[in-house]
Amino acid sequence: MTAAGDGGTADDTVAGVVRQWRMIRPDLDTAPMEVIGRINRCAALLQHAEDAPLRRAELTRPEFDLLGTLRRTGHELTPGELARETFSSGAAVTKRLKLLVERGWVDRRSDTRDRRVTRVRLTASGRELIDSVMPDQLRYETAVLSGLPDGDQRQVAALLAELLVQLEGRLGLPRA
Amino acid sequence: MTAAGDGGTADDTVAGVVRQWRMIRPDLDTAPMEVIGRINRCAALLQHAEDAPLRRAELTRPEFDLLGTLRRTGHELTPGELARETFSSGAAVTKRLKLLVERGWVDRRSDTRDRRVTRVRLTASGRELIDSVMPDQLRYETAVLSGLPDGDQRQVAALLAELLVQLEGRLGLPRA
DNA sequence: TACAAGTGTTTTACCTGGAAAACAAAACTT
DNA sequence: AAGTTTTGTTTTCCAGGTAAAACACTTGTA
Protein backbone atom coordinates (compact mmCIF):
# COMPACT_ATOMS: atom_id res chain seq x y z
CA MET A 1 0.00 0.00 0.00
CA THR A 2 2.20 2.75 -1.31
CA ALA A 3 -0.53 5.31 -0.81
CA ALA A 4 -0.68 4.65 2.93
CA GLY A 5 1.65 7.51 3.67
CA ASP A 6 -0.55 9.99 1.86
CA GLY A 7 -3.62 8.68 3.65
CA GLY A 8 -1.89 9.36 6.93
CA THR A 9 -1.19 12.98 6.17
CA ALA A 10 -4.55 13.92 4.58
CA ASP A 11 -7.45 12.82 6.73
CA ASP A 12 -10.93 12.00 5.55
CA THR A 13 -13.88 13.54 7.36
CA VAL A 14 -14.63 10.38 9.32
CA ALA A 15 -11.13 10.48 10.80
CA GLY A 16 -11.89 13.97 12.05
CA VAL A 17 -15.17 12.88 13.58
CA VAL A 18 -13.53 9.91 15.26
CA ARG A 19 -10.82 12.16 16.70
CA GLN A 20 -13.49 14.38 18.22
CA TRP A 21 -15.32 11.47 19.81
CA ARG A 22 -12.08 10.13 21.24
CA MET A 23 -11.54 13.42 22.99
CA ILE A 24 -15.11 13.84 24.20
CA ARG A 25 -15.78 10.22 25.10
CA PRO A 26 -12.48 8.31 25.37
CA ASP A 27 -14.42 5.35 26.84
CA LEU A 28 -16.09 4.57 23.53
CA ASP A 29 -14.86 2.04 20.99
CA THR A 30 -14.97 3.99 17.72
CA ALA A 31 -14.03 1.07 15.48
CA PRO A 32 -17.55 0.48 14.07
CA MET A 33 -17.84 4.16 13.21
CA GLU A 34 -14.61 3.97 11.26
CA VAL A 35 -16.08 1.30 9.00
CA ILE A 36 -19.75 2.22 8.87
CA GLY A 37 -19.22 5.94 8.81
CA ARG A 38 -16.91 5.58 5.86
CA ILE A 39 -19.19 3.23 3.98
CA ASN A 40 -22.03 5.69 4.40
CA ARG A 41 -19.89 8.65 3.46
CA CYS A 42 -18.48 6.96 0.37
CA ALA A 43 -21.97 5.93 -0.67
CA ALA A 44 -23.26 9.47 -0.27
CA LEU A 45 -20.44 10.94 -2.32
CA LEU A 46 -20.75 8.28 -5.01
CA GLN A 47 -24.45 8.89 -5.12
CA HIS A 48 -23.72 12.45 -6.12
CA ALA A 49 -20.75 11.59 -8.30
CA GLU A 50 -22.62 9.18 -10.51
CA ASP A 51 -25.10 11.70 -11.69
CA ALA A 52 -23.29 12.97 -14.78
CA PRO A 53 -23.66 10.21 -17.43
CA LEU A 54 -27.09 9.23 -16.17
CA ARG A 55 -28.19 12.83 -16.18
CA ARG A 56 -27.12 13.08 -19.81
CA ALA A 57 -29.38 10.13 -20.55
CA GLU A 58 -32.10 11.63 -18.34
CA LEU A 59 -32.11 8.64 -16.07
CA THR A 60 -32.16 8.48 -12.32
CA ARG A 61 -30.06 5.83 -10.64
CA PRO A 62 -33.08 3.71 -9.71
CA GLU A 63 -34.37 3.87 -13.29
CA PHE A 64 -30.95 2.90 -14.56
CA ASP A 65 -30.93 -0.03 -12.17
CA LEU A 66 -34.29 -1.24 -13.44
CA LEU A 67 -33.18 -1.09 -17.07
CA GLY A 68 -29.90 -2.77 -16.13
CA THR A 69 -31.71 -5.54 -14.30
CA LEU A 70 -33.88 -6.31 -17.30
CA ARG A 71 -30.81 -6.31 -19.50
CA ARG A 72 -28.60 -8.49 -17.37
CA THR A 73 -31.23 -11.07 -16.54
CA GLY A 74 -32.01 -11.28 -20.23
CA HIS A 75 -35.69 -12.07 -19.90
CA GLU A 76 -39.02 -10.68 -18.81
CA LEU A 77 -39.52 -10.00 -15.13
CA THR A 78 -42.52 -9.21 -12.97
CA PRO A 79 -42.71 -6.05 -10.88
CA GLY A 80 -42.26 -8.16 -7.78
CA GLU A 81 -39.09 -9.72 -9.19
CA LEU A 82 -37.78 -6.29 -10.15
CA ALA A 83 -38.52 -5.03 -6.66
CA ARG A 84 -36.58 -7.91 -5.13
CA GLU A 85 -33.65 -7.58 -7.56
CA THR A 86 -33.31 -3.86 -6.94
CA PHE A 87 -34.18 -3.95 -3.23
CA SER A 88 -37.07 -1.53 -3.66
CA SER A 89 -40.69 -1.59 -2.72
CA GLY A 90 -43.40 -2.67 -5.12
CA ALA A 91 -44.93 0.80 -5.08
CA ALA A 92 -41.65 2.44 -6.10
CA VAL A 93 -41.18 -0.05 -8.93
CA THR A 94 -44.72 0.55 -10.18
CA LYS A 95 -44.11 4.27 -10.33
CA ARG A 96 -40.80 3.96 -12.06
CA LEU A 97 -42.11 1.51 -14.60
CA LYS A 98 -44.91 3.90 -15.46
CA LEU A 99 -42.32 6.53 -16.39
CA LEU A 100 -40.12 4.11 -18.30
CA VAL A 101 -43.14 2.84 -20.24
CA GLU A 102 -44.12 6.40 -21.08
CA ARG A 103 -40.64 6.99 -22.45
CA GLY A 104 -40.90 3.85 -24.55
CA TRP A 105 -37.97 2.06 -22.92
CA VAL A 106 -40.01 -0.68 -21.30
CA ASP A 107 -43.28 -2.35 -21.99
CA ARG A 108 -45.53 -4.45 -19.88
CA ARG A 109 -48.44 -6.80 -20.44
CA SER A 110 -50.58 -9.08 -18.37
CA ASP A 111 -49.58 -12.65 -17.83
CA THR A 112 -51.90 -14.99 -19.69
CA ARG A 113 -51.74 -17.64 -17.03
CA ASP A 114 -52.11 -15.51 -13.94
CA ARG A 115 -54.21 -12.37 -14.19
CA ARG A 116 -52.57 -10.77 -11.17
CA VAL A 117 -49.16 -10.72 -12.80
CA THR A 118 -47.58 -8.16 -15.12
CA ARG A 119 -44.64 -9.06 -17.32
CA VAL A 120 -42.06 -6.40 -18.01
CA ARG A 121 -39.40 -6.27 -20.71
CA LEU A 122 -37.08 -3.83 -22.44
CA THR A 123 -38.20 -2.38 -25.75
CA ALA A 124 -35.66 -2.23 -28.57
CA SER A 125 -34.93 1.40 -27.77
CA GLY A 126 -34.70 0.60 -24.08
CA ARG A 127 -32.13 -2.04 -24.83
CA GLU A 128 -30.18 0.33 -27.06
CA LEU A 129 -30.25 2.92 -24.32
CA ILE A 130 -28.94 0.69 -21.56
CA ASP A 131 -26.34 -0.85 -23.90
CA SER A 132 -25.12 2.64 -24.65
CA VAL A 133 -25.28 4.14 -21.15
CA MET A 134 -23.78 1.20 -19.30
CA PRO A 135 -20.25 1.54 -20.72
CA ASP A 136 -20.39 5.34 -20.22
CA GLN A 137 -21.38 4.88 -16.62
CA LEU A 138 -18.70 2.27 -15.99
CA ARG A 139 -16.07 4.51 -17.58
CA TYR A 140 -17.23 7.32 -15.37
CA GLU A 141 -17.02 5.12 -12.31
CA THR A 142 -13.56 3.95 -13.32
CA ALA A 143 -12.49 7.58 -13.40
CA VAL A 144 -14.11 8.30 -10.05
CA LEU A 145 -12.21 5.41 -8.47
CA SER A 146 -8.95 6.16 -10.28
CA GLY A 147 -7.37 7.80 -7.25
CA LEU A 148 -7.27 4.40 -5.60
CA PRO A 149 -4.69 1.98 -7.04
CA ASP A 150 -6.04 -1.11 -8.82
CA GLY A 151 -4.71 -3.48 -6.17
CA ASP A 152 -6.43 -1.49 -3.44
CA GLN A 153 -9.65 -1.51 -5.43
CA ARG A 154 -9.53 -5.26 -5.72
CA GLN A 155 -8.79 -5.55 -2.04
CA VAL A 156 -11.59 -3.27 -0.89
CA ALA A 157 -13.96 -5.09 -3.23
CA ALA A 158 -12.98 -8.42 -1.67
CA LEU A 159 -13.33 -7.15 1.90
CA LEU A 160 -16.67 -5.55 1.16
CA ALA A 161 -17.82 -8.78 -0.49
CA GLU A 162 -17.01 -10.56 2.74
CA LEU A 163 -18.87 -7.97 4.78
CA LEU A 164 -21.81 -8.19 2.39
CA VAL A 165 -21.97 -11.94 2.75
CA GLN A 166 -22.19 -11.44 6.51
CA LEU A 167 -24.72 -8.65 6.33
CA GLU A 168 -26.88 -10.46 3.81
CA GLY A 169 -26.69 -13.64 5.84
CA ARG A 170 -27.31 -11.90 9.16
CA LEU A 171 -30.15 -9.77 7.98
CA GLY A 172 -31.83 -12.66 6.27
CA LEU A 173 -31.85 -11.08 2.85
CA PRO A 174 -31.67 -13.19 -0.29
CA ARG A 175 -28.39 -13.78 -2.07
CA ALA A 176 -27.75 -14.59 -5.70
CA MET B 1 -7.70 -13.58 5.67
CA THR B 2 -8.97 -16.80 7.13
CA ALA B 3 -12.51 -16.00 6.05
CA ALA B 4 -11.57 -15.77 2.40
CA GLY B 5 -12.51 -19.38 1.78
CA ASP B 6 -16.01 -18.81 3.02
CA GLY B 7 -16.36 -15.67 0.91
CA GLY B 8 -15.44 -17.72 -2.14
CA THR B 9 -18.15 -20.29 -1.64
CA ALA B 10 -21.00 -17.96 -0.58
CA ASP B 11 -21.42 -15.09 -3.00
CA ASP B 12 -22.82 -11.68 -2.20
CA THR B 13 -25.49 -10.25 -4.47
CA VAL B 14 -23.07 -7.98 -6.29
CA ALA B 15 -21.02 -11.00 -7.31
CA GLY B 16 -24.14 -12.43 -8.90
CA VAL B 17 -24.88 -9.22 -10.74
CA VAL B 18 -21.31 -8.97 -11.99
CA ARG B 19 -21.47 -12.56 -13.23
CA GLN B 20 -24.59 -11.75 -15.23
CA TRP B 21 -23.02 -8.70 -16.84
CA ARG B 22 -19.94 -10.70 -17.77
CA MET B 23 -22.13 -13.15 -19.65
CA ILE B 24 -24.31 -10.51 -21.31
CA ARG B 25 -21.60 -7.98 -22.06
CA PRO B 26 -18.17 -9.63 -21.79
CA ASP B 27 -16.62 -6.46 -23.28
CA LEU B 28 -17.33 -4.42 -20.16
CA ASP B 29 -14.91 -3.84 -17.31
CA THR B 30 -16.97 -4.63 -14.25
CA ALA B 31 -14.33 -3.60 -11.70
CA PRO B 32 -15.96 -0.29 -10.71
CA MET B 33 -19.25 -2.07 -10.13
CA GLU B 34 -17.55 -4.49 -7.78
CA VAL B 35 -16.46 -1.62 -5.56
CA ILE B 36 -19.27 0.90 -5.95
CA GLY B 37 -22.04 -1.66 -6.06
CA ARG B 38 -20.82 -3.17 -2.84
CA ILE B 39 -20.40 0.18 -1.11
CA ASN B 40 -23.94 1.08 -2.05
CA ARG B 41 -25.30 -2.29 -1.03
CA CYS B 42 -23.51 -2.28 2.31
CA ALA B 43 -24.73 1.25 2.97
CA ALA B 44 -28.32 0.28 2.17
CA LEU B 45 -28.20 -2.75 4.46
CA LEU B 46 -26.54 -0.81 7.25
CA GLN B 47 -29.12 1.89 6.86
CA HIS B 48 -31.74 -0.65 7.73
CA ALA B 49 -29.63 -2.47 10.30
CA GLU B 50 -28.99 0.59 12.39
CA ASP B 51 -32.60 1.25 13.07
CA ALA B 52 -33.02 -0.74 16.26
CA PRO B 53 -31.28 1.29 19.04
CA LEU B 54 -32.22 4.59 17.42
CA ARG B 55 -35.79 3.46 17.06
CA ARG B 56 -35.86 2.67 20.76
CA ALA B 57 -34.79 6.25 21.43
CA GLU B 58 -37.27 7.49 18.79
CA LEU B 59 -34.52 9.04 16.73
CA THR B 60 -33.93 8.93 13.02
CA ARG B 61 -30.37 8.60 11.81
CA PRO B 62 -30.19 12.22 10.66
CA GLU B 63 -31.52 13.41 14.02
CA PHE B 64 -28.96 11.24 15.79
CA ASP B 65 -26.23 12.73 13.62
CA LEU B 66 -27.29 16.26 14.53
CA LEU B 67 -27.24 15.51 18.24
CA GLY B 68 -23.93 13.71 17.84
CA THR B 69 -22.43 16.64 16.01
CA LEU B 70 -23.39 19.07 18.74
CA ARG B 71 -21.96 16.67 21.32
CA ARG B 72 -18.66 15.97 19.62
CA THR B 73 -17.92 19.53 18.66
CA GLY B 74 -18.66 20.54 22.23
CA HIS B 75 -20.00 24.00 21.49
CA GLU B 76 -22.86 25.88 19.88
CA LEU B 77 -23.22 25.64 16.13
CA THR B 78 -25.27 27.54 13.56
CA PRO B 79 -27.72 25.75 11.25
CA GLY B 80 -25.33 26.38 8.40
CA GLU B 81 -22.47 24.76 10.29
CA LEU B 82 -24.66 21.79 11.18
CA ALA B 83 -25.68 21.46 7.54
CA ARG B 84 -22.03 21.38 6.46
CA GLU B 85 -20.98 18.96 9.22
CA THR B 86 -23.77 16.52 8.40
CA PHE B 87 -23.72 17.04 4.64
CA SER B 88 -27.36 18.08 4.52
CA SER B 89 -29.21 21.03 3.13
CA GLY B 90 -30.12 24.03 5.24
CA ALA B 91 -33.81 23.29 4.79
CA ALA B 92 -33.48 19.76 6.11
CA VAL B 93 -31.51 20.96 9.13
CA THR B 94 -34.12 23.61 9.89
CA LYS B 95 -36.85 21.01 9.82
CA ARG B 96 -35.00 18.57 11.99
CA LEU B 97 -34.03 21.20 14.50
CA LYS B 98 -37.66 22.18 14.83
CA LEU B 99 -38.50 18.64 15.91
CA LEU B 100 -35.51 18.33 18.24
CA VAL B 101 -36.41 21.64 19.86
CA GLU B 102 -39.99 20.49 20.34
CA ARG B 103 -38.71 17.39 22.10
CA GLY B 104 -36.54 19.52 24.36
CA TRP B 105 -33.23 18.03 23.23
CA VAL B 106 -31.93 21.14 21.55
CA ASP B 107 -32.46 24.83 21.95
CA ARG B 108 -31.73 27.73 19.67
CA ARG B 109 -31.52 31.48 20.02
CA SER B 110 -30.59 34.42 17.85
CA ASP B 111 -27.03 35.60 17.68
CA THR B 112 -26.66 38.94 19.38
CA ARG B 113 -24.03 40.15 16.94
CA ASP B 114 -25.67 39.02 13.69
CA ARG B 115 -29.43 38.94 13.51
CA ARG B 116 -29.46 36.50 10.60
CA VAL B 117 -27.74 33.80 12.62
CA THR B 118 -29.24 31.21 14.94
CA ARG B 119 -27.14 29.49 17.60
CA VAL B 120 -27.96 25.88 18.42
CA ARG B 121 -26.92 23.80 21.42
CA LEU B 122 -27.85 20.63 23.26
CA THR B 123 -30.07 20.93 26.30
CA ALA B 124 -29.14 18.95 29.41
CA SER B 125 -31.61 16.24 28.45
CA GLY B 126 -30.36 16.27 24.89
CA ARG B 127 -26.85 15.71 26.14
CA GLU B 128 -28.00 12.90 28.42
CA LEU B 129 -29.82 11.31 25.52
CA ILE B 130 -26.91 11.31 23.11
CA ASP B 131 -24.51 10.21 25.85
CA SER B 132 -26.80 7.28 26.51
CA VAL B 133 -27.66 6.32 22.94
CA MET B 134 -24.18 6.63 21.48
CA PRO B 135 -22.68 3.63 23.33
CA ASP B 136 -25.81 1.56 22.55
CA GLN B 137 -25.54 2.40 18.90
CA LEU B 138 -21.82 1.63 18.78
CA ARG B 139 -22.41 -1.69 20.53
CA TYR B 140 -25.08 -2.48 18.03
CA GLU B 141 -22.76 -1.61 15.16
CA THR B 142 -20.01 -3.73 16.68
CA ALA B 143 -22.43 -6.65 16.65
CA VAL B 144 -23.49 -5.94 13.07
CA LEU B 145 -19.86 -5.99 11.95
CA SER B 146 -18.89 -8.94 14.10
CA GLY B 147 -18.98 -11.39 11.18
CA LEU B 148 -15.91 -9.65 9.79
CA PRO B 149 -12.66 -10.30 11.71
CA ASP B 150 -11.10 -7.32 13.50
CA GLY B 151 -8.11 -7.23 11.22
CA ASP B 152 -10.35 -7.14 8.17
CA GLN B 153 -12.37 -4.36 9.72
CA ARG B 154 -9.25 -2.31 10.28
CA GLN B 155 -8.15 -2.99 6.74
CA VAL B 156 -11.43 -2.08 5.11
CA ALA B 157 -11.54 1.08 7.25
CA ALA B 158 -8.07 2.04 6.05
CA LEU B 159 -8.87 1.38 2.39
CA LEU B 160 -12.14 3.25 2.59
CA ALA B 161 -10.32 6.14 4.29
CA GLU B 162 -8.01 6.26 1.31
CA LEU B 163 -10.92 6.20 -1.11
CA LEU B 164 -12.68 8.89 0.90
CA VAL B 165 -9.62 11.13 0.76
CA GLN B 166 -9.70 10.77 -3.01
CA LEU B 167 -13.42 11.28 -3.35
CA GLU B 168 -13.46 14.25 -1.01
CA GLY B 169 -10.50 15.76 -2.82
CA ARG B 170 -11.84 15.03 -6.29
CA LEU B 171 -15.32 16.23 -5.61
CA GLY B 172 -14.09 19.37 -3.95
CA LEU B 173 -15.81 18.74 -0.67
CA PRO B 174 -14.34 19.98 2.58
CA ARG B 175 -12.21 17.75 4.76
CA ALA B 176 -11.64 17.89 8.49
C1' DT C 1 -68.34 -26.64 -4.22
C1' DA C 2 -68.09 -22.67 -1.29
C1' DC C 3 -65.50 -20.12 1.50
C1' DA C 4 -61.07 -18.61 3.54
C1' DA C 5 -56.44 -17.53 3.09
C1' DG C 6 -52.74 -16.13 0.42
C1' DT C 7 -50.60 -13.51 -3.40
C1' DG C 8 -49.37 -9.72 -6.94
C1' DT C 9 -49.91 -5.22 -8.39
C1' DT C 10 -51.53 -0.85 -8.04
C1' DT C 11 -53.37 3.06 -5.53
C1' DT C 12 -53.52 6.06 -1.66
C1' DA C 13 -51.90 8.79 2.02
C1' DC C 14 -48.18 10.63 4.13
C1' DC C 15 -43.55 12.00 5.00
C1' DT C 16 -38.91 13.68 4.13
C1' DG C 17 -35.44 16.06 1.79
C1' DG C 18 -33.81 19.14 -1.90
C1' DA C 19 -34.03 23.23 -4.79
C1' DA C 20 -35.66 27.53 -5.17
C1' DA C 21 -37.88 31.43 -3.36
C1' DA C 22 -38.54 34.64 0.27
C1' DC C 23 -37.01 37.62 3.70
C1' DA C 24 -34.00 40.05 6.68
C1' DA C 25 -29.54 41.46 7.89
C1' DA C 26 -24.77 42.36 6.94
C1' DA C 27 -21.04 43.63 3.99
C1' DC C 28 -19.33 45.96 0.05
C1' DT C 29 -19.01 49.70 -3.41
C1' DT C 30 -19.42 54.23 -5.13
C1' DA D 1 -24.72 57.92 3.03
C1' DA D 2 -27.21 55.35 -0.37
C1' DG D 3 -27.56 51.63 -3.18
C1' DT D 4 -25.99 46.98 -4.49
C1' DT D 5 -24.42 42.52 -3.48
C1' DT D 6 -23.78 38.82 -0.42
C1' DT D 7 -25.07 35.89 3.32
C1' DG D 8 -27.93 33.01 6.76
C1' DT D 9 -32.11 31.03 7.82
C1' DT D 10 -36.57 29.80 7.00
C1' DT D 11 -40.50 28.85 4.04
C1' DT D 12 -42.56 26.99 0.01
C1' DC D 13 -43.15 23.75 -3.51
C1' DC D 14 -42.38 19.48 -5.51
C1' DA D 15 -40.69 14.80 -6.32
C1' DG D 16 -39.97 10.32 -4.84
C1' DG D 17 -40.20 6.61 -1.59
C1' DT D 18 -42.63 3.85 2.00
C1' DA D 19 -46.32 1.53 4.45
C1' DA D 20 -50.76 0.41 4.28
C1' DA D 21 -54.97 -0.13 1.93
C1' DA D 22 -57.49 -1.61 -1.98
C1' DC D 23 -58.63 -4.75 -5.38
C1' DA D 24 -58.53 -8.70 -8.13
C1' DC D 25 -57.00 -13.14 -8.75
C1' DT D 26 -55.25 -17.72 -7.31
C1' DT D 27 -54.67 -21.46 -4.16
C1' DG D 28 -55.95 -24.18 -0.26
C1' DT D 29 -59.32 -26.28 2.90
C1' DA D 30 -63.43 -28.36 4.70
Side-chain angles (χ1 to χ4, degrees), chain A residues 113-133:
Chain A
R113 273 163 303 171
D114 186 336
R115 302 281 303 284
R116 298 169 301 182
V117 175
T118 301
R119 305 190 135 272
V120 180
R121 69 188 172 178
L122 287 176
T123 62
S125 58
R127 179 172 164 157
E128 264 178 54
L129 175 72
I130 190 67
D131 270 351
S132 144
V133 172

Side-chain angles (χ1 to χ4, degrees), chain A residues 11-30:
Chain A
D11 278 354
D12 61 313
T13 52
V14 175
V17 170
V18 166
R19 196 179 306 117
Q20 285 178 330
W21 277 115
R22 284 210 182 114
M23 285 196 296
I24 294 290
R25 289 288 301 269
D27 56 303
L28 297 179
D29 172 24
T30 55

Side-chain angles (χ1 to χ4, degrees), chain A residues 137-154:
Chain A
Q137 179 64 12
L138 284 171
R139 252 188 309 271
Y140 186 84
E141 290 179 354
T142 297
V144 165
L145 292 178
S146 63
L148 194 66
D150 285 359
D152 285 359
Q153 288 186 35
R154 276 194 293 273

Side-chain angles (χ1 to χ4, degrees), chain A residues 66-134:
Chain A
L66 275 189
L67 295 177
T69 297
L70 288 165
R71 182 73 182 90
R72 68 173 156 87
T73 54
H75 50 85
E76 291 186 331
L77 294 168
T78 66
E81 282 166 343
L82 283 166
R84 279 188 293 278
E85 277 283 326
T86 60
F87 307 102
S88 305
S89 71
V93 167
T94 294
K95 286 174 183 175
R96 282 181 212 134
L97 287 178
K98 180 173 186 285
L99 292 181
L100 294 178
V101 165
E102 282 166 4
R103 290 187 231 162
W105 290 326
V106 159
D107 70 28
R108 49 185 177 179
R109 56 194 176 172
S110 303
D111 189 285
T112 47
R113 273 163 303 171
D114 186 336
R115 302 281 303 284
R116 298 169 301 182
V117 175
T118 301
R119 305 190 135 272
V120 180
R121 69 188 172 178
L122 287 176
T123 62
S125 58
R127 179 172 164 157
E128 264 178 54
L129 175 72
I130 190 67
D131 270 351
S132 144
V133 172
M134 192 66 192

